[in-house]
Amino acid sequence: MKSEEFVEIGYITKTHGLKGDVQVAFTYHEPEKLKMNAVFLEIAGKMVPYFVSGFKLSQQTTGYFLFEDIDHIDKAKALVKKKVFLQQKLMPKKKKEEFTFKDLQGFTAIDSQHGELGEILSVREYPQQFLATVNYQEKEILFPLSEDFIEDIDIANRVLKIDLPEGLLDVYLS
């Protein structure tokens, strides 16, 4: 399966108890809407399925999983810090008005001055703003997702057109 067939929904933060439960910090903003009979963990560059035998959402951004075949804390420890993915086709469908900055992950960023910057690898939320990450000229570049810089969002073609402030890319490239 290709990586674009998956959506990151969180990561395993720690074990919980002695029976193999793991705590998951959700990066997906509405985990209660997810159907999680099976999730995928990225192990050695491959997506490995884990079947969920128990799941409990304790807070908006935290939940606990018990996976089939993970029946002891020692087995669960190997999963700590792994990212948790769902198949794209199992994600809840959104209405256009529900589109958020987080949905820009996977879009191609095109700057009006520098041209194509690359695929948006991640979108991080901070108290004052959202930041997008791309690999441009073999360097990790962060730029703010601000309405002041966004010229157009083409949802159908998954393209984000931006006009970054002069000198922003130079900070990373010099």
Side-chain angles (χ1 to χ4, degrees), residues 14-100:
K14 63 182 182 178
T15 59
H16 181 74
L18 300 175
K19 295 182 181 176
D21 292 84
V22 292
Q23 180 180 359
V24 173
F26 286 100
T27 53
Y28 184 76
H29 60 285
E30 295 178 307
E32 70 278 1
K33 292 185 177 181
L34 300 174
K35 294 178 183 155
M36 296 181 280
N37 298 329
V39 297
F40 290 80
L41 303 182
E42 187 174 10
I43 299 174
K46 295 187 183 202
M47 292 297 194
V48 179
Y50 281 82
F51 296 97
V52 178
S53 61
F55 171 71
K56 181 175 81 175
L57 191 61
S58 68
Q59 300 171 5
Q60 177 64 23
T61 59
T62 307
Y64 298 95
F65 281 99
L66 181 61
F67 297 122
E68 290 180 12
D69 300 328
I70 304 294
D71 56 3
H72 192 271
I73 188 172
D74 291 336
K75 291 181 181 177
K77 282 181 182 177
L79 305 179
V80 173
K81 297 187 181 175
K82 302 288 185 206
K83 292 180 180 180
V84 180
F85 297 86
L86 268 183
Q87 287 181 296
Q88 177 72 41
K89 65 184 179 184
L90 298 177
M91 296 300 290
K93 301 294 180 221
K94 288 186 178 188
K95 298 177 182 135
K96 274 192 175 180
E97 60 270 11
E98 294 178 321
F99 191 85
T100 66

Side-chain angles (χ1 to χ4, degrees), residues 11 15 39 47 63 79 88 97 108 112 131 136 149 164 167-168:
Y11 58 94
T15 59
V39 297
M47 292 297 194
L79 305 179
Q88 177 72 41
E97 60 270 11
T108 300
S112 59
L131 290 179
Y136 179 68
F149 306 138
L164 294 178
L168 178 70

Side-chain angles (χ1 to χ4, degrees), residues 65-156:
F65 281 99
L66 181 61
F67 297 122
E68 290 180 12
D69 300 328
I70 304 294
D71 56 3
H72 192 271
I73 188 172
D74 291 336
K75 291 181 181 177
K77 282 181 182 177
L79 305 179
V80 173
K81 297 187 181 175
K82 302 288 185 206
K83 292 180 180 180
V84 180
F85 297 86
L86 268 183
Q87 287 181 296
Q88 177 72 41
K89 65 184 179 184
L90 298 177
M91 296 300 290
K93 301 294 180 221
K94 288 186 178 188
K95 298 177 182 135
K96 274 192 175 180
E97 60 270 11
E98 294 178 321
F99 191 85
T100 66
F101 284 139
K102 289 246 184 201
D103 297 320
L104 291 171
Q105 185 170 326
F107 277 52
T108 300
I110 300 175
D111 180 55
S112 59
Q113 304 298 315
H114 297 89
E116 186 173 319
L117 301 178
E119 179 183 338
I120 297 175
L121 303 173
S122 68
V123 175
R124 301 176 192 160
E125 182 177 2
Y126 293 98
Q128 290 81 19
Q129 66 186 352
F130 286 85
L131 290 179
T133 305
V134 297
N135 277 334
Y136 179 68
Q137 295 183 1
E138 299 180 17
K139 300 216 188 246
E140 183 176 82
I141 307 290
L142 298 172
F143 62 87
L145 290 171
S146 166
E147 292 180 10
D148 296 336
F149 306 138
I150 295 175
E151 293 180 337
D152 185 45
I153 300 173
D154 183 347
I155 296 173

